[in-house]
Amino acid sequence: NSGTTNKKKKKKKKKKGKDTQSGGGGKQGDEAVLWRKKPQVDFIPAVEPTLLEDNKLEVEDAPTLWDGFYDAFMPINVCNPWSEIQSGGGPEEQQPATRGIEHDLELHETVSSYVNDSILMEGYDRVEYTQSLTIDEVLHQTATMADDLGRYALSVPIVTSNKDSSATSWIPLELNSCPPTITSVSTFGSFKESHLFERTPIVVEVGVLYATRARIAWFTDGERVCADSPCYTPTAADVDKVLTVVITPHRPDHDGMGCEEAYQFQRRVEALPDLPNVIPLREEFLNRPPRQHVSGGGEDPTLRVVTYNILADQNASRDVDKDDDADRMYSHCKNKHIVKWRRHPLIIHEILEYCPDVIALQEVDTDVFEGLLKPVLTAKGYEGYYSQKGVDPASGVREGCAIFWSLEVFESVRPADMRTHTFRDMIQQFSCEERMHKKQWKSLGDMADLVERHNPLKHVLHNKLGHVMQTVVLTQRTSGEKVVIGNSHLFYHPMASHIRCLKILVACRQLEIEHKENQHCPIVFCGDFNSHPNSGVMKLLLNRYLNSKNGRTWKHLCTYEWEEGTGGEIDEDVEAIDLELPASMPSLASAYPDPPEFTHFIEAFVCTLDYILVTNNFELEKSGATPPREDVEKYIAMPNECMPSDHVSLVCDLKWR
């Protein structure tokens, strides 16, 4: 705007080429003054942050050629001089931040004292040239000079005015052919959408060019609360305040001054809602001391595991655009409570409250993993990976499973050892003679024969279902003990119990392979198995045997098709088969010996579907309580404003034997 206004004045009042500069000043419009650094003047490097008594980080500002200008021209909110916050109601009523600076009378009078640009250019000599030049002409002329571009600076005039008077002030700009540059800035949900909650970390990710890193300072209502970190956790004192970040890209020979960018979150920090599934239900799992502070100074003997189906937004958001409640699965939940920008930060808060060593997640959206889970959990000392399900990229599936582990407890894992197994691949592999091991795994041979004679079943298993199982072998830092972690989410369809059983059979075969390859180490198998405690899946996992006469498991063996008439023929002699785990597969036990009343609660369906299973190398120390039915019925069902998923998380402490 200033440039447009000045151009108009220039056309009306001045002729191009006429120099009206005086006392080192310059004229309005696009014309500028070029300066060369004096030989004896060097830049003062930025001062490193220091820790004050109140545990706040402070960075002393190094004097630069901008100091005078900033002090004069930007006396308002230093954390974001480009915008001002509209006061008013809660986050929903906030207005977008306005770009621009209020030029009131006081500001105008202050800036007027800097009319002479030579005041700001101490340490520089003015470069004389025969005629006035535009900014573009000065830059072009400077770029053709033989000496180092970094020795030059430019002072650019701008006009400030009010109803009574106007004045020209000068902005000093250091010239640099490759200044530290911010190429990208991102945060979960964008600075407009994301909900910010107390005690819930926020991460801002920055891409840079010609810089070694970016310094990220955090401000609440203009007060600096963190001098340099990509991650900030708002406190109770930050509730209802506006959060802003100022990002400075820099490198050893350039402190980044003049290259900063400021970003402001449009929603104010919110107080946490009541979370009845966490407090007081699981108070004994909160406030876990850091592992180095365990009494006696030794290694904490417990392994804390969390599994959680976090309800993929791909599934939940289908309701948002539906007007008819009869068509909505979550008709009891308001749209503002079901959006991922609110639900998933609450899920992150709950997970971190438990301080787990291993985290197994299901129904993880690709963008939620990349934009929230991975950045936040990485900042909190975890490592992990994501496995998207789906037959192929064209399937439209954008969710899958994720595993994270604490790097304080376990060694880092090479990406090649973060394994993802699709069930269709495992079924095909373990149907081959050389992988079947018929003597031990007779059931795999029976499964291969069944699938070969049952074309609709083969069509579903090989071509339609893209479910995955994750496996990773973790090594304890102190003891060198290894553990295989498995994580999966099985097919949901109520007529597909036999399909889930066949998948669990091949999953156990894969777990056994990794168990043997790693000195017969323990196994922890987590997931949403979409199977109730008395189902065929759980009988096979816990009792190690499933009879072919189990009617509920095999009821739809010859009737279930992906789409009617598309699967092909079934041999007349197709029958159910016995499924059995061999002795070489370690026995599994549930971390919840008495199954919860439910782990999944929607209006149409309430059931226990989620499990943590462990081998007898572990002793169960304790398991987290699950909510009683009446606690959920207060809100009709899940998710709701206080329960961010339609599943309950499970948490347990395991003691190494």
Side-chain angles (χ1 to χ4, degrees):
N1 291 338
S2 297
T4 304
T5 304
N6 292 339
K7 286 178 183 178
K8 290 180 180 178
K9 289 183 179 180
K10 175 180 173 181
K11 289 179 180 178
K12 290 180 180 179
K13 297 183 179 180
K14 303 179 186 290
K15 295 180 181 179
K16 185 175 181 180
K18 185 178 180 181
D19 190 354
T20 60
Q21 300 178 28
S22 61
K27 66 181 185 177
Q28 302 173 16
D30 287 338
E31 296 174 8
V33 177
L34 183 65
W35 303 80
R36 182 188 292 111
K37 193 187 301 185
K38 294 178 181 179
Q40 69 273 23
V41 177
D42 293 317
F43 280 110
I44 302 175
V47 180
E48 291 298 316
T50 57
L51 191 64
L52 303 182
E53 291 182 1
D54 59 357
N55 289 325
K56 289 185 178 180
L57 286 171
E58 183 68 34
V59 177
E60 297 178 8
D61 296 324
T64 70
L65 62 86
W66 290 276
D67 286 351
F69 176 76
Y70 283 156
D71 293 342
F73 196 64
M74 298 183 177
I76 63 172
N77 186 346
V78 295
C79 72
N80 190 358
W82 301 278
S83 61
E84 55 190 34
I85 299 302
Q86 304 292 323
S87 60
E92 302 298 335
E93 288 79 31
Q94 287 185 38
Q95 300 298 318
T98 57
R99 294 186 67 84
I101 300 175
E102 183 180 349
H103 292 199
D104 56 17
L105 180 59
E106 180 181 356
L107 176 60
H108 170 72
E109 291 175 349
T110 305
V111 173
S112 296
S113 64
Y114 284 87
V115 171
N116 188 330
D117 63 334
S118 62
I119 296 175
L120 299 178
M121 305 306 295
E122 184 177 352
Y124 285 77
D125 291 323
R126 180 172 168 175
V127 177
E128 300 295 338
Y129 40 87
T130 56
Q131 63 177 4
S132 297
L133 301 176
T134 66
I135 295 174
D136 286 344
E137 290 169 338
V138 171
L139 292 175
H140 178 75
Q141 179 173 314
T142 308
T144 61
M145 295 178 179
D147 23 1
D148 180 20
L149 192 62
R151 296 177 56 205
Y152 291 88
L154 198 66
S155 58
V156 179
I158 65 169
V159 174
T160 57
S161 62
N162 60 23
K163 61 182 179 180
D164 297 321
S165 61
S166 64
T168 300
S169 56
W170 294 80
I171 301 178
L173 301 172
E174 186 182 38
L175 299 185
N176 197 317
S177 59
C178 296
T181 303
I182 297 170
T183 58
S184 64
V185 178
S186 62
T187 190
F188 179 64
S190 80
F191 291 89
K192 177 181 178 181
E193 299 287 354
S194 187
H195 284 256
L196 314 176
F197 292 101
E198 60 174 314
R199 298 179 12 234
T200 306
I202 311 154
V203 170
V204 170
E205 296 184 288
V206 179
V208 294
L209 182 66
Y210 307 128
T212 53
R213 63 181 297 269
R215 184 169 57 249
I216 305 175
W218 299 76
F219 298 80
T220 56
D221 278 2
E223 178 183 355
R224 183 163 59 189
V225 290
C226 179
D228 184 12
S229 175
C231 179
Y232 176 67
T233 303
T235 66
D238 297 328
V239 171
D240 205 34
K241 292 183 179 180
V242 174
L243 193 60
T244 307
V245 292
V246 175
I247 305 167
T248 307
H250 62 92
R251 60 176 183 256
D253 65 337
H254 196 304
D255 63 7
M257 289 297 292
C259 304
E260 307 95 329
E261 293 182 11
Y263 294 82
Q264 196 168 80
F265 291 88
Q266 290 196 16
R267 297 182 185 275
R268 296 175 183 270
V269 177
E270 302 174 48
L272 281 167
D274 290 335
L275 299 173
N277 288 358
V278 182
I279 300 176
L281 189 67
R282 294 176 173 174
E283 208 145 8
E284 63 179 329
F285 281 88
L286 308 182
N287 304 313
R288 187 186 190 191
R291 299 184 75 89
Q292 63 267 31
H293 296 152
V294 174
S295 107
E299 174 68 17
D300 187 344
T302 61
L303 176 68
R304 180 165 293 179
V305 179
V306 167
T307 187
Y308 203 169
N309 180 321
I310 63 175
L311 178 56
D313 182 67
Q314 183 176 19
N315 300 329
S317 62
R318 294 170 184 167
D319 275 8
V320 174
D321 298 326
K322 295 177 181 177
D323 297 325
D324 188 351
D325 282 354
D327 296 331
R328 301 179 62 192
M329 181 180 295
Y330 308 109
S331 58
H332 64 281
C333 188
K334 295 179 180 178
N335 284 348
K336 68 178 183 179
H337 294 145
I338 209 169
V339 293
K340 61 184 173 183
W341 317 124
R342 182 182 187 275
R343 287 194 308 107
H344 286 98
L346 292 176
I347 286 169
I348 274 284
H349 170 82
E350 178 182 348
I351 292 171
L352 290 175
E353 283 289 279
Y354 302 138
C355 296
D357 303 318
V358 175
I359 305 165
L361 304 175
Q362 306 85 41
E363 285 202 42
V364 178
D365 297 278
T366 306
D367 64 327
V368 171
F369 177 83
E370 294 293 343
L372 179 67
L373 296 172
K374 184 180 179 182
V376 170
L377 291 174
T378 298
K380 292 301 178 181
Y382 290 87
E383 183 176 66
Y385 70 108
Y386 170 72
S387 302
Q388 181 171 315
K389 67 183 184 185
V391 176
D392 57 61
S395 67
V397 176
R398 301 185 305 278
E399 56 101 347
C401 296
I403 295 180
F404 291 92
W405 52 92
S406 169
L407 289 177
E408 188 178 358
V409 180
F410 296 106
E411 295 177 1
S412 182
V413 178
R414 298 183 310 158
D417 295 329
M418 303 176 187
R419 299 180 179 178
T420 299
H421 315 272
T422 65
F423 280 100
R424 67 177 181 275
D425 287 346
M426 286 192 292
I427 287 172
Q428 292 174 15
Q429 289 170 11
F430 297 142
S431 296
C432 298
E433 288 286 340
E434 61 271 18
R435 297 296 303 278
M436 196 180 296
H437 296 278
K438 279 189 175 181
K439 289 183 179 179
Q440 296 91 356
W441 286 85
K442 178 180 180 300
S443 293
L444 286 177
D446 296 340
M447 178 198 71
D449 293 340
L450 172 64
V451 172
E452 193 60 35
R453 292 183 289 113
H454 193 319
N455 286 319
L457 178 60
K458 185 177 182 179
H459 176 65
V460 171
L461 291 174
H462 289 190
N463 303 321
K464 291 300 182 182
L465 296 182
H467 296 78
V468 298
M469 180 175 75
Q470 297 179 296
T471 60
V472 62
V473 178
L474 302 179
T475 305
Q476 270 198 321
R477 286 190 176 276
T478 54
S479 67
E481 289 269 8
K482 294 179 181 291
V483 57
V484 177
I485 306 295
N487 180 34
S488 191
H489 186 192
L490 299 184
F491 187 39
Y492 76 94
H493 201 286
M495 296 174 64
S497 183
H498 58 293
I499 291 176
R500 288 189 287 275
C501 287
L502 297 179
K503 288 190 169 189
I504 281 297
L505 181 70
V506 297
C508 287
R509 173 66 180 124
Q510 182 61 43
L511 291 171
E512 183 213 43
I513 289 173
E514 300 194 30
H515 159 77
K516 286 184 173 181
E517 288 176 347
N518 293 278
Q519 298 85 47
H520 294 80
C521 65
I523 297 172
V524 177
F525 189 22
C526 305
D528 174 0
F529 299 153
N530 269 311
S531 304
H532 60 79
N534 294 319
S535 66
V537 164
M538 298 314 297
K539 288 183 185 298
L540 180 58
L541 283 168
L542 301 180
N543 300 337
R544 308 177 62 81
Y545 178 75
L546 178 65
N547 195 297
S548 59
K549 301 188 185 307
N550 187 294
R552 287 187 296 183
T553 298
W554 303 105
K555 180 179 180 180
H556 301 289
L557 173 63
C558 296
T559 57
Y560 174 73
E561 294 181 276
W562 188 263
E563 294 173 343
E564 188 174 355
T566 61
E569 297 298 324
I570 305 175
D571 288 359
E572 292 183 1
D573 59 345
V574 163
E575 294 180 348
I577 58 176
D578 293 339
L579 298 179
E580 185 174 11
L581 300 181
S584 57
M585 171 65 195
S587 296
L588 296 170
S590 175
Y592 283 75
D594 297 320
E597 182 181 3
F598 62 87
T599 63
H600 176 58
F601 198 124
I602 59 175
E603 287 186 79
F605 184 63
V606 178
C607 192
T608 294
L609 304 176
D610 304 88
Y611 301 90
I612 300 174
L613 306 179
V614 301
T615 52
N616 59 12
N617 311 73
F618 290 109
E619 177 186 343
L620 177 63
E621 189 171 275
K622 61 184 176 183
S623 302
T626 55
R629 180 183 289 260
E630 53 268 24
D631 281 8
V632 179
E633 288 175 340
K634 293 176 185 176
Y635 307 95
I636 302 177
M638 299 164 62
N640 53 63
E641 61 265 40
C642 298
M643 301 171 184
S645 176
D646 57 354
H647 286 249
V648 177
S649 68
L650 300 182
V651 55
C652 70
D653 281 350
L654 306 171
K655 190 173 290 187
W656 297 78
R657 291 186 187 273

